Amino acid sequence: MTNAAFTPRVFSGIQPSGGLTLGNYLGALKRFVDMQEVGKYECVYCLVDLHAITVWQDPADLRANTRELAAFFIASGIDPERSILFNQSQVPAHSQLAWIFNTVARMGWMGRMTQWKDKAGKNSENASLGLFAYPALMAADILLYHATHVPVGDDQKQHLELTRDVAAKFNHDYGVDFFPITEPVIEGPATRVMSLRDGTKKMSKSDPSDMSRINMSDDADTIAQKFRKARTDPEPLPGTYEELKDRPSARNLVDIFAALSERSHADVVAEVEGMQWGTFKPLLADLAVEKLSPISSEMTRLMADTGEIDRILGKGAERASEIAEPILKKTYEIVGLVQSS
Ligand code: TYM
């Protein structure tokens, strides 16, 4: 069976572990909205709280961050009527399928994950078992919906390859064509937004320097100041994007500009050719403020009504379960855990 036999369905997720950045917006959320707007996919978007707790989360913070993340989705343009928006823990089938995938995935596969190596570091003896098994839960998230397309930032590529391996091994071991071989969708001008202090490092909420990132909660002055102080190099902007190949900090600012203005790299570079950074950075800061400020004020407005957010997530979990339950049931039958009906 090829993927053409499956309903075109998008699945993606973000962890409610606080500290949403411009990387999350450009690499993920903005593209989730684009896929919703294409209109040809059923879109399922998940706040992956079970993934978040693979590292310690204070319970009160987790609750607050979950609502904040839901507000971020909606303020960015996800329509909870057209797309399904819910939190992972409220659909138990995620954990149930993840257990089955824990028996399909191999220790060696997990041990090779760079995210595991980065997060567990030298202290892997002390890391949670959940952190090690994290990619099997991620495979379950995706395959529970027979998702055909998964938009993510570049850092999730290896996890999506593992998801394909899990699907292929399950299909092979049980002699079925049940799970699709999902397509990663790693596209757009900013699939890897880099630190504003060091263009060779990913923009991340865990970087000790707040100047390295734009937080979705930053106000206009802070955004402008961070772009003004962003690392660049002494050369002016070149005439082709290729010339930025060995200038990571400079390229990062062009990538961000292109993604925010919804234009290609080539278009942007043609327009700003020869410009000095002192001229370009204020343009970038103005553009970022214009695009991000309405999102953060809408988030503040939405978060004032937590009851409404909880209602939306509750409804989303019901709709997600309607898709997930029959797929889990069929998986149990294939594995031999229940009789085929
Ligand atoms: P998370 O929560 O770390 O990040 C959420 C999304 O944001 C993207 N992203 C970036 N994109 C570009 N540049 C950056 N600097 C940047 N930082 C973050 C990530 O690539 C991601 O798309 N494992 C996932 C969550 C997950 C998931 C899933 C995703 C769980 N189950 C199923 C897809 C499908 C994660 O930790 O994302």
Side-chain angles (χ1 to χ4, degrees), residues 7 15 23 32 37 44 92 96 100 114 156 271 303 335:
T7 306
Q15 300 190 64
F32 299 174
E37 295 309 320
V44 184
Q96 291 168 295
I100 292 176
T114 50
Q156 296 299 313
E271 187 184 308
M303 280 187 299
V335 174

Side-chain angles (χ1 to χ4, degrees), residues 95-308:
S95 309
Q96 291 168 295
L97 187 60
W99 182 260
I100 292 176
F101 288 168
N102 280 343
T103 70
V104 174
R106 307 287 94 182
M107 297 282 283
W109 300 1
M110 300 298 186
R112 281 192 286 278
M113 294 293 112
T114 50
Q115 191 161 308
W116 156 253
K117 290 190 223 166
D118 290 349
K119 282 200 175 175
K122 290 199 174 64
N123 199 13
S124 63
E125 288 288 303
N126 210 22
S128 76
L129 186 55
L131 188 65
F132 190 66
Y134 181 115
L137 176 60
M138 186 161 158
D141 296 340
I142 295 166
L143 296 173
L144 189 56
Y145 299 89
H146 278 181
T148 51
H149 294 80
V150 182
V152 282
D154 183 68
D155 61 343
Q156 296 299 313
K157 198 173 174 175
Q158 201 186 24
H159 285 155
L160 292 191
E161 278 159 14
L162 188 132
T163 298
R164 291 162 68 92
D165 290 344
V166 167
K169 183 162 164 41
F170 182 97
N171 287 345
H172 174 266
D173 289 355
Y174 291 100
V176 290
D177 258 335
F178 185 59
F179 287 117
I181 307 300
T182 300
E183 284 303 324
V185 188
I186 304 176
E187 288 169 5
T191 55
R192 196 172 179 82
V193 178
M194 307 309 272
S195 155
L196 299 181
R197 306 303 303 155
D198 176 354
T200 63
K201 284 201 324 208
K202 193 183 73 165
M203 181 180 285
S204 157
K205 63 166 183 240
S206 45
D207 193 302
S209 164
D210 195 57
M211 292 302 282
S212 70
R213 62 182 159 263
I214 304 291
N215 305 301
M216 293 308 294
S217 53
D218 285 343
D219 62 23
D221 288 347
T222 311
I223 293 175
Q225 193 204 19
K226 286 180 176 176
F227 278 122
R228 213 171 32 246
K229 297 225 162 125
R231 167 134 329 148
T232 44
D233 54 33
E235 302 297 318
L237 283 141
T240 63
Y241 188 68
E242 286 62 46
E243 289 168 77
L244 289 168
K245 193 160 75 63
D246 299 320
R247 298 172 61 188
S249 295
R251 189 178 62 215
N252 186 37
L253 296 190
V254 170
D255 288 352
I256 295 173
F257 194 95
L260 284 172
S261 60
E262 302 184 342
R263 290 158 60 191
S264 68
H265 292 131
D267 253 23
V268 170
V269 173
E271 187 184 308
V272 300
E273 177 173 6
M275 208 179 257
Q276 299 294 333
W277 293 105
T279 315
F280 180 77
K281 283 177 172 179
L283 290 180
L284 176 57
D286 286 350
L287 177 65
V289 169
E290 178 196 322
K291 300 286 179 179
L292 303 181
S293 292
I295 299 176
S296 64
S297 34
E298 182 62 1
M299 281 173 72
T300 310
R301 194 188 68 77
L302 289 164
M303 280 187 299
D305 188 353
T306 51
E308 176 61 5

